[in-house]
Amino acid sequence: MKIPYIDILCPLRSLFLTLCLVSAFALSGCVSPIALNRAVGAYDEAITSAASKQLLTNIARAHHHQPIHFTGVSNVAATFDFRFSAGATPALGGLAGQTLMPIFGGSVAENPTISIVPIEGEEFTKRLLTPFQQGKLTLLLRQRFDIDLLLRLMAQEVRIQGSTPQVAYRNRPSDSSGYEVFRRVVLHLSAIQDQNQLYAEPLNLERTWIIPAGSVSAEGFQALEKEFFVLYNKQDNTYTLRKQVPGPILITNYDPETLSLEERARLNNEAGIWNPHDVAFDIRPNLPGGEWPMKGTFRLRSFHKILNFLGRSLGDEPEYHVEKDIRTLAIKGDENPIATMGLVVSDTPPLEADLSIRSHNRYYSVNTSGPLSRWNRDAFQMLYLLFQMTITDLPRTGVPSITIAK
């Protein structure tokens, strides 16, 4: 009896080809997220590095009394084209012609389009030259930055109230007497902060208005109740309206919420001569840091002034050591460095620096080695945040940031 021939390899070949195709499509789907993650990370790192290097470049420009200028990346469009192929071929040797071997092929093409625009114009220039508002300083304070680092970078002077008229002590090394007083005041606040006894909060105030009851309709009364605490005075047929409103920021060695309404009103009246670019402080006796009671205001700088201050510290006006006041408690060893931000200028590329740039035939970097590395890194991080608070939104082309094509 003749046994019929059955090609048992035929179904196996079909199954094998099917698995090849499925594997190819699965591989394509897996590579896309990997490419997306890699692209997002790479572009993010490149943009952050470019912005950081621009900050160093502008410090170098300020050092050489040259104009400050910024350029930003407004848009990144990265298109990825994935192409895969799969097949099979007879194996060499053995069961040639019957055993199939898989063949895979593929290619990946990346076509990034990066839009770069200069950051300029009247609006940005005004923001660059306008002193920072007090709310931005307190926002950074709540991120647990050291107050001495913040004020050394952001404040241009301190005005101390006393029996004599206010005197301005400038945060500028060329004004040696003013600079040393400024540094000592800042160190005193830092010592209080180290004890977790420093407050930087808005002075909440209570406003009061009295209006005739006959002037308020039923609808108007409902609207008032949403905004005010309303009290009816039967004797004179009036309504007393009360509302809590935030006042100026106040740096203190006590909780401002413990003050009476009368004392808050008095402090607010004193704050009436201050502007949004000033930060008031009130250090009272018989409390932490009360060994040196003081009251006054810090006047904040603009971002342009900060860059010029750092640039001048490299040559024209180098900073120098200032010892704390004898009434100030002990401070940490790394919280009174000579420089607000330790910068290194060298003729050769710095080997241990996190970031460096070449400008005017020299290398500029932040000193990130040694005992002051944390301080200097925090100072540069703060400078980067202040820059982000200064720039305006860049124009965008409207295309997707990253697109993946398969």
Side-chain angles (χ1 to χ4, degrees):
M1 180 179 180
K2 184 178 181 181
I3 301 175
Y5 171 75
I6 300 176
D7 187 359
I8 60 173
L9 294 179
C10 184
L12 293 177
R13 291 192 189 97
S14 301
L15 177 61
F16 186 74
L17 287 174
T18 302
L19 291 176
C20 289
L21 292 175
V22 171
S23 300
F25 285 116
L27 183 62
S28 171
C30 292
V31 171
S32 298
I34 295 174
L36 176 61
N37 291 334
R38 183 195 63 80
V40 171
Y43 288 126
D44 179 75
E45 182 178 354
I47 293 171
T48 303
S49 177
S52 300
K53 289 183 177 181
Q54 278 197 79
L55 289 173
L56 278 177
T57 300
N58 279 300
I59 292 174
R61 289 170 178 164
H63 177 207
H64 292 275
H65 304 279
Q66 293 184 345
I68 291 172
H69 188 267
F70 289 95
T71 302
V73 176
S74 65
N75 193 83
V76 177
T79 302
F80 294 85
D81 186 14
F82 297 93
R83 298 181 184 275
F84 289 93
S85 60
T89 184
L92 299 177
L95 298 175
Q98 297 184 11
T99 303
L100 298 178
M101 298 297 294
I103 299 176
F104 291 101
S107 64
V108 180
E110 178 181 356
N111 300 296
T113 301
I114 302 175
S115 302
I116 302 175
V117 296
I119 309 175
E120 56 188 11
E122 182 179 0
E123 182 181 357
F124 172 67
T125 304
K126 285 182 179 179
R127 294 170 68 95
L128 192 67
L129 300 178
T130 300
F132 285 102
Q133 294 190 351
Q134 53 183 228
K136 294 183 178 180
L137 182 138
T138 55
L139 179 63
L140 292 172
L141 268 180
R142 288 170 181 169
Q143 310 308 311
R144 303 305 299 170
F145 281 107
D146 295 327
I147 192 170
D148 46 347
L149 172 57
L150 270 169
L151 290 173
R152 286 182 65 176
L153 194 65
M154 294 183 66
Q156 67 177 2
E157 66 184 31
V158 60
R159 296 171 178 261
I160 300 177
Q161 293 181 358
S163 56
T164 58
Q166 276 193 1
V167 178
Y169 300 97
R170 295 190 297 169
N171 180 18
R172 190 166 183 176
S174 60
D175 178 10
S176 58
S177 59
Y179 177 72
E180 291 174 10
V181 171
F182 177 90
R183 288 279 300 272
R184 292 190 179 103
V185 171
V186 168
L187 281 172
H188 193 70
L189 296 182
S190 177
I192 301 173
Q193 185 188 42
D194 290 342
Q195 301 177 62
N196 294 320
Q197 296 297 323
L198 192 72
Y199 296 83
E201 302 293 338
L203 187 65
N204 291 322
L205 306 169
E206 186 178 88
R207 299 291 191 185
T208 303
W209 297 267
I210 298 177
I211 60 175
S215 63
V216 181
S217 63
E219 295 80 4
F221 183 81
Q222 292 179 351
L224 288 176
E225 282 190 316
K226 295 179 181 179
E227 297 289 335
F228 304 91
F229 174 77
V230 182
L231 178 64
Y232 176 67
N233 306 309
K234 186 176 181 180
Q235 294 180 348
D236 52 6
N237 194 32
T238 60
Y239 287 118
T240 299
L241 309 180
R242 293 177 181 172
K243 184 178 183 179
Q244 293 284 336
V245 294
I249 301 295
L250 194 62
I251 298 175
T252 61
N253 60 341
Y254 57 87
D255 187 353
E257 292 297 323
T258 61
L259 298 177
S260 65
L261 295 177
E262 292 76 13
E263 196 166 11
R264 294 184 197 182
R266 180 180 60 79
L267 288 174
N268 182 63
N269 291 334
E270 294 178 0
I273 61 174
W274 301 332
N275 62 48
H277 310 293
D278 292 349
V279 179
F281 60 92
D282 181 24
I283 305 301
R284 298 188 173 184
N286 304 319
L287 293 168
E291 297 82 5
W292 185 10
M294 63 179 78
K295 181 184 295 186
T297 58
F298 290 99
R299 179 148 293 176
L300 301 182
R301 288 180 171 133
S302 65
F303 190 75
H304 186 269
K305 281 281 189 181
I306 291 175
L307 290 178
N308 276 284
F309 170 78
L310 295 173
R312 287 196 303 265
S313 70
L314 293 173
D316 298 340
E317 298 184 45
E319 296 186 84
Y320 55 89
H321 177 72
V322 176
E323 194 60 50
K324 70 179 183 66
D325 189 273
I326 59 174
R327 294 164 289 185
T328 300
L329 297 177
I331 58 175
K332 299 177 182 177
D334 62 344
E335 288 196 0
N336 188 25
I338 292 177
T340 302
M341 181 192 297
L343 297 167
V344 178
V345 183
S346 59
D347 295 324
T348 57
L351 300 179
E352 298 182 359
D354 294 346
L355 188 73
S356 67
I357 57 101
R358 180 174 172 81
S359 179
H360 301 84
N361 296 320
R362 304 195 75 184
Y363 292 90
Y364 291 77
S365 62
V366 179
N367 187 0
T368 53
S369 62
L372 296 176
S373 59
R374 181 197 67 85
W375 173 282
N376 293 329
R377 284 190 175 101
D378 285 349
F380 192 79
Q381 180 188 10
M382 189 184 303
L383 184 70
Y384 186 90
L385 292 174
L386 291 172
F387 174 62
Q388 295 299 318
M389 293 180 181
T390 303
I391 60 174
T392 56
D393 291 335
L394 301 177
R396 303 183 184 278
T397 60
V399 299
S401 296
I402 295 180
T403 58
I404 302 291
K406 293 190 293 183

